[in-house]
Amino acid sequence: MTVSTQQRLEMLRTMLLARRFEETLTELCQQPDKIHGMMILATGQEAVGSGACAALSPADVIVTNHRSHHHLLARGADPKALMAEIFGRRTGCNKGKSGTLHLAVPEVNALCTTTVVGGGFPIATGLGFAQQYRGETAVTACFFGDGATSEGSFHEALNLAGLWRLPVVFVCENNRYAAAQGYDEHTPIESLATRADAYGMPGEQVDGNDAPAVFEVTRRARERALAGEGPTLIECMTYRWRGHGEGDPQRYQPAEEIAAWKARCPIERLSETLRARGELSDAELDDLRASTAAVVAEAVRFAEESPWPEPREALDDVWVA
């Protein structure tokens, strides 16, 4: 199965949307009294979310981490509801209670964003078990960074998922850093994909800045899971252009390293491919950039004009077992 022109164009659109969304968040973070709290971005990693989510069906579920905007937007989350949530407004996807680090969008089966490093693994494995137990034609995709693979929950979850052949696609965004620790400082092996061998599942490494390549490897993993053959570990090699969070001076990231990865921009790469194939003109690319920028601008306007939650609503939607 080849990637269609329409699929390539849609992946480009979602990458452009995610890039402009996060560029806007960077700008807003530099203004007083706009956005409160920590802001963690995935600028430069857009191909992973766009490629992987394009390979999923609406019935599939995703579990993601603190660097989640590109996953959620690629999944189809409403940019206005996301932006309002980040602003802490009542019209946000979680009624202004989660902020940017704990987003959930059940409408698009994005059930969990967790800032606990490695916290998504047991949740995704449990979801995969539920899908298997119910006989659903669906999988769970679990997104995480390279640092999370050093957590015990990674090994426990992959062991159980492999043992029970659960329909989970584990998608590692290896951006070469776990917060301020370089990859070589926290992991002794060259490829994280090789860890799949210990749990009886295939592991594949892919260029995480190539959205169609990410799409293809995710599609194969999904088909394998639906056939009852169990989980797959995908390692997407990519890079975050910005620090761990806004305000991070990035002293641990060499300037030449950042420049080299910016030269491999996933958006420019797919744009060039589409132009070379005669599937996208310069004018059409300009239109895509303008339309996604307009969507983000409208999201900001919506957020700024939305009301704050009422104090009396603080305990709404809080459940005790």
Side-chain angles (χ1 to χ4, degrees):
M1 178 180 176
T2 58
V3 184
S4 70
T5 299
Q6 187 55 45
Q7 287 169 325
R8 286 192 181 88
L9 288 169
E10 179 59 14
M11 284 186 273
L12 177 61
R13 186 193 69 79
T14 57
M15 285 198 291
L16 286 167
L17 178 60
R19 177 70 59 84
R20 186 59 199 143
F21 192 90
E22 293 204 324
E23 286 175 343
T24 300
L25 291 177
T26 295
E27 296 163 5
L28 290 166
C29 284
Q30 295 166 359
Q31 301 175 35
D33 298 323
K34 287 289 186 180
I35 296 177
H36 304 279
M38 191 173 186
M39 180 60 63
I40 297 180
L41 305 177
T43 309
Q45 300 178 205
E46 297 89 354
V48 178
S50 292
C53 288
L56 302 176
S57 80
D60 295 332
V61 174
I62 71 167
V63 172
T64 178
N65 62 0
H66 48 269
R67 214 174 296 279
S68 68
H69 303 137
H70 61 311
H71 306 141
L72 300 174
L73 290 166
R75 190 64 178 150
D78 179 2
K80 292 194 294 185
L82 283 182
M83 189 66 77
E85 187 60 38
I86 292 167
F87 270 71
R89 304 305 174 93
R90 193 172 186 275
T91 54
C93 55
N94 306 126
K95 303 180 183 179
K97 297 179 180 181
S98 73
T100 189
L101 298 180
H102 301 280
L103 297 161
V105 190
E107 296 83 0
V108 296
N109 271 344
L111 299 189
C112 177
T113 295
T114 174
T115 58
V116 177
V117 176
F121 297 125
I123 297 170
T125 300
L127 287 164
F129 172 73
Q131 290 165 326
Q132 183 190 76
Y133 183 78
R134 294 172 178 172
E136 297 177 1
T137 306
V139 307
T140 295
C142 181
F143 294 93
F144 54 96
D146 49 291
T149 65
S150 296
E151 296 289 333
S153 57
F154 170 82
H155 303 279
E156 293 168 358
L158 268 72
N159 184 66
L160 188 63
L163 180 66
W164 289 354
R165 296 185 176 274
L166 300 179
V168 184
V169 180
F170 294 99
V171 183
C172 176
E173 294 183 79
N174 187 346
N175 63 20
R176 310 301 298 172
Y177 287 93
Q181 277 192 307
Y183 180 82
D184 294 337
E185 296 177 298
H186 69 75
T187 300
I189 57 176
E190 185 174 339
S191 171
L192 293 171
T194 61
R195 286 188 166 164
D197 293 342
Y199 307 114
M201 67 181 74
E204 293 197 53
Q205 189 182 82
V206 64
D207 185 342
N209 281 14
D210 185 343
V214 175
F215 171 91
E216 284 287 3
V217 71
T218 306
R219 178 187 60 78
R220 291 196 301 270
R222 181 178 183 274
E223 289 179 351
R224 183 175 178 276
L226 291 178
E229 297 175 17
T232 300
L233 173 60
I234 301 171
E235 180 185 17
C236 301
M237 305 304 293
T238 185
Y239 192 83
R240 58 168 166 85
W241 294 4
R242 304 190 65 78
H244 178 64
E246 292 304 282
D248 179 351
Q250 294 181 270
R251 295 190 184 97
Y252 52 89
Q253 288 178 268
E256 60 273 17
E257 178 183 88
I258 297 173
W261 278 92
K262 283 187 174 182
R264 299 170 60 183
C265 172
I267 293 174
E268 295 304 320
R269 181 172 185 170
L270 185 53
S271 298
E272 287 300 322
T273 297
L274 286 162
R275 283 196 289 248
R277 294 169 60 94
E279 297 170 346
L280 180 72
S281 67
D282 289 342
E284 289 168 332
L285 178 57
D286 289 341
D287 287 345
L288 267 178
R289 291 186 186 278
S291 63
T292 51
V295 167
V296 175
E298 172 59 20
V300 173
R301 184 202 63 77
F302 175 79
E304 290 180 324
E305 294 179 0
S306 293
W308 294 96
E310 294 289 338
R312 59 180 170 78
E313 298 170 340
L315 297 182
D316 290 355
D317 307 310
V318 177
W319 302 92
V320 177

